Amino acid sequence: MLAALPSLETILQTIAAGLLVGSTYGLMCVALGLIFGIMRLINFAQGDFLMAGMYFASIVLTTLGLSGLIGGIPALVVAVLLAIPLFMLVGVALHWTLLGRIGRASQAMTEGELHQTQLIMTLGISLILANGALMVFGSTPVSLDTPLSTQAWVLDPFGEGEILVFLNKGRVAAAAVAVAATAGLYLLLNRTSLGRRLRAAADNPLAATYMGIDVTASHRITFGLGFALTAVAGVMVATFYPFQPYVGIDFVIVMYAGVVLGGMGSIIGSFWGGLIIGLVQQLSTLVLPTQLQGTTVFLVFLLILLVGPQGLFGRSVERA
Amino acid sequence: MSVLGRFGGSALVWAAASAVVITGALWPAQAQDQKVKVALVAPISGPMARAGELMRIGAELAIEDINAQGGIKALGGRQMELVVEDAGDKVETAKNAAQRLVANHSDLVAGTGSWSSSLTLAVTEVTERASLPWVTLSYADQITDRGFKYVVQTVPVASQLALDSMPTVLEMAEKVGGKELTSVAILSDSTAASQAFVKPLREGGFEKLGVKVVVDEVFTPPLNDATTLVQQLRSAKPDFMLFYSTSFPDAKLVLSKMNEFGLGKGKLPTVSVGVQLVSPEMLAAVGGELLEGLMVVAPNWTTKAQADILPELTKRSGEPWLGQDTISTYGDMWLIKDAIERAGSADHEPVMAALREMDRTDGPADYYLGDRLAFDENGRRVGGAVGIVQWQGGMPYLIWPTKDALKEPLWPSN
């Protein structure tokens, strides 16, 4: 059954919601796309990295009481700034102790075998993180009471006061951080020597090694960056979304759909993929029952696989 | 041989006689020491663990009080003992818990549980086969639709709750707010519990009451954003909203979004279902200001009838207030105790017969909503009532039925 014709206000509100939700999805997809694009690693623990960022925000804002000491918004800025180096280090340590050790044990190992071992390892990390959080934080959902989460900026696009568009402050802040973090990553990858080394390690690991680039170190930095970006997304999402130890699973499908839509291996493409998924998810409610909102993500996913498996910005040829 | 020879048979006779005397003297004391075991099967782990914890608090408080008041007098003052099994969060774990219970405690007299109707359906499959009398707060119709002989429901069933609660809301709006309600928006999640409640109202229930359904949206949990749902409420401008979300995060998202869109704090009168919306966790997550005026349909809640014991019970519980789960389980223990007293036995058959014949307006009836505490031939509650709880000043109070209510209802103005 199709919904009745929506009003202009509803259409504008839905587009705004889609852009805001999509931007946050974009950052999550960028982090996953970075890890896959450079390391070719299928990371099943990505949703749990997001959860870790959410609980980190809860610790900084509520447990340590920073929100009460310096105010909600400054505390949030501190949480984001602390999350980047901290989770970068955790990511590097995880790669150093676990993931880096399951690479090519022998040169005879096929690409498929390598993916299988990585997949099992990240699945194991995911289970440990989720159940560890359950032991430490319990199963009761946590919700951060910040001024951003329940307040909105109200836009009056035609100046007549009849059509109003509400923009949730928490969502706007999360979208702004997502765009800034993606832009920062783009500049890092394209304008710095570190970025060139990372891209070289991704494009042709063997040639990069011949050129004196430490591919393992590049992967380690990439994994740390990916973890840090996901945790930043988690900190921002925590300002408006209640969470519990298994919250990651709610976002993993969206992340993969966004990365596939943007093109596996394309980091900027991943951002656009996430943004489009968010828009499709919200706009679908204008024509379909809300109950099918989640299904549209799978529809987009299937359509990409059928029509253009390389995605919007992906490469249609195998890497060298 | 020499010893026997010296004292002969008389020594043996004396020894035997002494043993009989000593055993006879000890026998009544041992019988009195033997405790009357009652069970609680509730989710102690997993996502529903909080509800199970609240039930356990209620059961433990009741057992303490019953024992402090002399135990079960009909059985010579025997004390009651609680046995707790973790139902987990799945049908399989609940069934296993019930099986463990009946296998390890053959001397159980009766039990209560298991919060979620799906868990209770599984548990009662086992307790029925063991002929173990079972009392439950779960309100799915199916629990007492199966022709089981050993289960009673202490609150009205779901279909009755849905059809009885809305006329109550309309009556309350008219009496308190002086407003006739003619339009409603329904927001519900796609879970079985939500749809079982909403279906009879959607399919003619509201129409019979003269209320037009202007928005009827079903969403699949978890919601990622509630903007499009709340935008529909803003456009349709209903007189009130019926909101049924079984998930705490989804409920929080919708209530926060309503506030953001200027519909919160009672501007759009909202009636919800599910005690998670009147929990301390909800207050911590959403804040009292946002919850003010929100009404929640509850099968049971603390009432005026418990006014004398409530402050002390609440203090002992360590909770900020006592809600449906704690007070119901507290009452269940008194209900089982009352049945044992009247049966004069701790055997399953007479205890179950006493439960079925229950018809009280005082005693254990004080712990449940309604005029009478009785059960029909299927074990369904007779004389029960639908309760409405409302957030007022950061606390949830029973506001309806008025004779049991602790506060006057407030009908939020549009």
Side-chain angles (χ1 to χ4, degrees), chain B residues 59-83:
Chain B
E60 285 172 351
L61 288 174
I63 299 279
E64 270 174 37
D65 289 349
I66 291 167
N67 289 342
Q69 290 173 30
I72 297 169
K73 293 175 184 74
L75 302 181
R78 276 170 68 181
Q79 301 275 289
M80 281 175 80
E81 183 185 333
L82 183 68
V83 178

Side-chain angles (χ1 to χ4, degrees), chain A residues 266-279:
Chain A
S266 166
I267 287 149
I268 296 305
S270 298
F271 180 82
W272 291 114
L275 188 71
I276 292 168
I277 293 285
L279 268 171

